[in-house]
Amino acid sequence: PSDRDGWGSDVILRIKDREPEDDASAGRDYLSVWTLREIIKKYSDFVSYPIYLEDFSDKKDDDKKPEPVNSMKAIWIRPESEVQGEEYREFYRHISHDWEEPMERIVYRAEGKSEFHALLFIPSRPPFDLFYRDGTHGIQLYIRRVFIMNDCKDVIPEYMRFLKGVVDSEDLPLNISREILQQDRQTAMIKRGVVRKVLDSLKKMKSDRPEDFAKFWSMFGEVVKEGIVSDPKNRDAILKLALFSGSKSGRTSLEDYAAKMADGQKSIYYLTGGRGETLSASPKLEAFTDRGIDVLLLNDPIDEIWLSSFHEFDSHPFVSVSAENVEIEGSPEDPSAEIADSFLSGLKEAVKSLGLDSVEDVKLSARLVDSPATFVQKGEGVSAQMRNFFKAMGQEAPPERKVLEINASHPLVRKMTEAELDDGGRRDMAVLLTGLASISDGEPVADARRFTKTLERLLEK
């Protein structure tokens, strides 16, 4: 039995009196109209029912018609054709605090086993905390238009942390916790749907607006490539999206690289290491450039990680041009007959006497054309950039193993072979060649003082 005029419920909360000894700044005044408005706007602004706030203070305006505190305008629920572009831009500014227009807008509605709406944006510039481990990554999570959390990392993968926007689920419980969210089956389904939609949108951008996609990749490509390692189910799709710098072709995809291979070429050649300028000037490219073979210049640390577990693309094996025994299509015959064995053995002994533990051998090179010497990797090599990355992460890198390759056709090497060098002379040549090899790779010389003194002495002669 009830004396109510109609259906409904009253929920009455009574606020305890503040004790005199309480710190006034320790809590918020939940009887303040402004505090209540802020709470309603934050958590229930998009709820489809109106929420009114009645002011019982003496300052209220009795003649003013009451208006809902919440906007009830969940823009992601409305059909995309009914929403103006300015409305989307205003909403993006509201959730991202970025006053530039977004590069891309992704509107998605999923129905079936898991029903949810998503409105996602790709910013036109990377956020400052994109590579901070403790950055505020993630998107806003709503459940039936009720705000749940601001930086939900469980409905998008880590390699899509550049996204801004909202996901609104119809199936998740309102009282869900972060721990339950991580284990919930509905959350996993939402994540799969969002990833598939974003990758499809990027694929469409790449085909329809290649210039915009190139701009996107220059800003977020290093992050997206993390998915090749962390998301095996979508790594093929990510690899097809990826753009790389080619020594011959400039910016290229793996599909375009394979389509433009030189005659007889079967492998995808690549070079990893430091800055792009250093890689493009590397002596290791000389023979490939001479034969018109394109080489991918991979200067992101993540490239060496995914290459360690991903050995081919479309039946074309990945081959490092830094590898010791790399085979180059159309290579000339072994140049070992062009130089005396005695000189090579003497140079090996001289390099060994320098105490360079990482240099295990000295060989003649088939890849050098214009440079006298270069270092190549023996076995499963790790670049200097990757070693610095391991150190920054507090991890121990594998031991460095290198081979010094010399160009028997280079005038400097020919002069060395013609000169009658004693042990000291061969030692000077070893210092010079190893130093030049390090410099050409953009790396510091092992013993800079010894190198400069040797160079001064040789120049005096």
Side-chain angles (χ1 to χ4, degrees), residues 286 338-339 343 368-373 406-419 429 432-433 436:
E286 292 174 355
E338 298 179 14
I339 196 168
F343 173 82
L368 294 176
V369 177
D370 300 318
S371 300
I406 59 173
N407 180 5
S409 301
H410 193 275
L412 176 61
V413 177
R414 286 192 174 278
K415 289 285 186 180
M416 292 180 183
T417 59
E418 294 169 1
M429 295 302 108
L432 182 64
L433 291 174
L436 292 175

Side-chain angles (χ1 to χ4, degrees), residues 116-216:
F116 66 92
H117 295 78
L119 175 56
L120 306 173
F121 299 91
I122 298 176
S124 57
R125 60 178 178 178
F128 72 93
D129 59 352
L130 185 63
F131 292 99
Y132 290 1
R133 180 178 298 178
D134 299 325
T136 55
H137 308 139
I139 57 179
Q140 294 183 357
L141 175 65
Y142 286 77
I143 297 177
R144 296 187 289 281
R145 267 68 74 203
V146 176
F147 175 73
I148 303 300
M149 64 181 68
N150 200 36
D151 55 343
C152 182
K153 298 180 175 66
D154 299 297
V155 294
I156 59 169
E158 185 74 11
Y159 67 91
M160 290 184 179
R161 59 183 178 271
F162 54 86
L163 291 171
K164 302 293 183 182
V166 300
V167 166
D168 186 2
S169 172
E170 299 290 336
D171 305 313
L172 293 172
L174 278 168
N175 62 342
I176 195 167
S177 66
R178 285 187 181 270
E179 290 74 21
I180 296 175
L181 193 64
Q182 295 172 357
Q183 304 169 8
D184 189 84
R185 187 172 63 89
Q186 294 290 342
T187 306
M189 294 176 67
I190 292 173
K191 188 174 184 178
R192 285 197 297 270
V194 168
V195 169
R196 183 171 60 251
K197 180 63 177 180
V198 172
L199 291 178
D200 288 344
S201 298
L202 291 176
K203 181 180 178 181
K204 182 174 175 55
M205 184 197 294
K206 183 181 180 182
S207 61
D208 298 348
R209 295 150 46 208
E211 292 184 1
D212 287 343
F213 183 81
K215 180 181 177 183
F216 161 82

